[in-house]
Amino acid sequence: RRAGKLGTARVRQELASKGLSGETVAAAMENLRATELARAREVWTRKFGEPATDPREKARQLRFLQYRGFELSVCLKALQAQAEPD
């Protein structure tokens, strides 16, 4: 349920802290990895809505996505996609 707002790493940590078995967590992670970039873009859009104008703001946006549990490569792709003109 919280996967719409969180990245795979954060969901994995929360499921493990609830005492779920490793197999259950692994199965959930496989499903989430396929949609991680789309979820990161959606979370970014809800929070920021416009591309960073300077390196400091870009770093802030990157930290926000990483804190939400998205992998660094996914965060960078999400920010790059938002910076590119349509």
Side-chain angles (χ1 to χ4, degrees), residues 70-84:
F70 295 102
E71 294 182 18
L72 178 60
S73 62
V74 172
C75 296
L76 291 172
K77 286 177 185 176
L79 290 178
Q80 182 181 18
Q82 303 304 337
E84 294 174 356

Side-chain angles (χ1 to χ4, degrees), residues 1 3 5 8 10-12 15 21 23-24 27 29-30 34 40 42 44 46-47 51 62-63 66 71-73 79 86:
R1 188 174 60 184
K5 296 189 278 185
T8 305
R10 180 89 176 264
V11 173
R12 180 184 320 117
L15 291 176
S21 70
E23 294 172 358
T24 305
M29 294 306 99
E30 287 203 23
E42 183 179 329
W44 179 90
R46 274 188 271 146
K47 175 72 175 178
L62 186 63
R63 281 192 309 271
Q66 285 185 299
E71 294 182 18
L72 178 60
S73 62
L79 290 178
D86 290 332

Side-chain angles (χ1 to χ4, degrees), residues 10-22 25:
R10 180 89 176 264
V11 173
R12 180 184 320 117
Q13 182 267 327
E14 287 188 7
L15 291 176
S17 72
K18 301 291 182 191
L20 294 173
S21 70
V25 172

Side-chain angles (χ1 to χ4, degrees), residues 29-49:
M29 294 306 99
E30 287 203 23
N31 294 334
L32 291 177
R33 280 193 189 96
T35 62
E36 189 164 23
L37 181 57
R39 288 182 291 117
R41 287 178 179 164
E42 183 179 329
V43 168
W44 179 90
T45 301
R46 274 188 271 146
K47 175 72 175 178
F48 300 105

